[in-house]
Amino acid sequence: MAMLLSNFTPLMTLSWRALFAFEHIPINQLHGSSTPSDAQKELEFFFPEEHTFALIKPDAATHKDEIMKKVKEAGFSITNVKEQSLTREMAAHFYKDHEGKPFFDDLVNFMTQGPSVIMVLSKENAVEEWKKLIGPPDPEEAKKTCPKSIRAQFAHDILANAVHGSSNIEQAERKWQSKYCQHF
Ligand code: CMP
């Protein structure tokens, strides 16, 4: 390798491109983003991040440290977190897709019985990865099919099932951008 260095050029005065340039090859060996907005675009291209909405329910709030440790070990960043007791209005709005189902009133009662831990999680493919980490809604099924999942380890039953995860990216965005989640 012949570097473009004269014997008299002090190394400290050379840029890295000059230091690592190959003779007769007019290319740059190193790239750096030109502007902050280029940097953002280039980062999103190589490290595509998705956000999802996650909630530790009142029955599992006492295990929040263990659950958050698992979340981090699974490679998520916890971009936002707060602990909050849901009002009946908030719980009913949060689960409005389940209104009319036989368990709806029990669900609202359960969700308002103590503080929840509300999080925005970020990772590549975050929505699907979080669903995988929590396991199926019924802990009996979770114990059989995904014994290491959060619900297998911390859920009590299909109602008090420890954690919530959005089903898809649209629902995740709706939940963490809704006016109710701005209280969170
Ligand atoms: P979650 O994944 O947060 O979404 C809807 C919630 O409704 C679910 O977790 C449970 O807490 C609750 N749920 C779903 N199915 C039933 C059921 N059959 N009986 C009681 N609660 C349920």
Side-chain angles (χ1 to χ4, degrees):
M1 177 178 75
M3 285 194 287
L4 293 176
L5 286 176
S6 100
N7 289 340
F8 306 107
T9 312
L11 284 181
M12 295 293 283
T13 63
L14 287 171
S15 68
W16 278 24
R17 276 180 174 159
L19 261 175
F20 295 107
F22 287 86
E23 206 174 356
H24 309 310
I25 305 177
I27 55 165
N28 295 329
Q29 284 76 14
L30 300 166
H31 170 78
S33 308
S34 309
T35 64
S37 88
D38 281 356
Q40 189 62 32
K41 279 186 218 142
E42 288 166 2
L43 280 169
E44 281 166 13
F45 183 79
F46 285 106
F47 299 98
E49 244 194 5
E50 193 172 271
H51 307 289
T52 195
F53 181 89
L55 184 147
I56 303 175
K57 300 183 182 186
D59 63 315
T62 49
H63 297 289
K64 68 177 181 198
D65 294 337
E66 285 161 89
I67 294 175
M68 286 163 84
K69 187 165 173 264
K70 280 179 174 295
V71 167
K72 289 182 198 154
E73 282 169 359
F76 290 92
S77 310
I78 302 177
T79 317
N80 222 324
V81 60
K82 72 161 77 168
E83 204 163 319
Q84 172 145 12
S85 295
L86 270 60
T87 63
R88 296 190 68 80
E89 190 195 12
M90 287 162 85
H93 179 84
F94 188 74
Y95 281 120
K96 67 178 183 323
D97 294 348
H98 297 281
E99 208 170 341
K101 293 188 182 166
F103 57 83
F104 183 73
D105 287 344
D106 290 342
L107 183 57
V108 172
N109 288 337
F110 160 64
M111 290 300 292
T112 52
Q113 73 184 20
S116 294
V117 180
I118 295 128
M119 301 177 283
V120 177
L121 305 182
S122 308
K123 187 187 181 185
E124 197 171 328
N125 205 17
V127 174
E128 286 306 313
E129 291 292 313
W130 175 238
K131 277 162 59 182
K132 244 192 264 167
L133 185 63
I134 65 180
D138 183 348
E140 291 314 312
E141 189 194 336
K143 279 174 199 156
K144 283 185 212 139
T145 58
C146 316
K148 290 190 176 157
S149 66
I150 292 176
R151 279 171 170 157
Q153 293 176 51
F154 298 102
H156 295 95
D157 53 45
I158 193 165
L159 173 71
N161 64 357
V163 278
H164 170 81
S166 302
S167 313
N168 53 53
I169 183 88
E170 291 76 29
Q171 196 188 77
E173 280 175 8
R174 238 189 306 130
K175 287 220 158 130
W176 61 270
Q177 287 173 359
S178 87
K179 78 181 173 100
Y180 282 87
C181 292
Q182 283 164 22
H183 295 297
F184 293 167

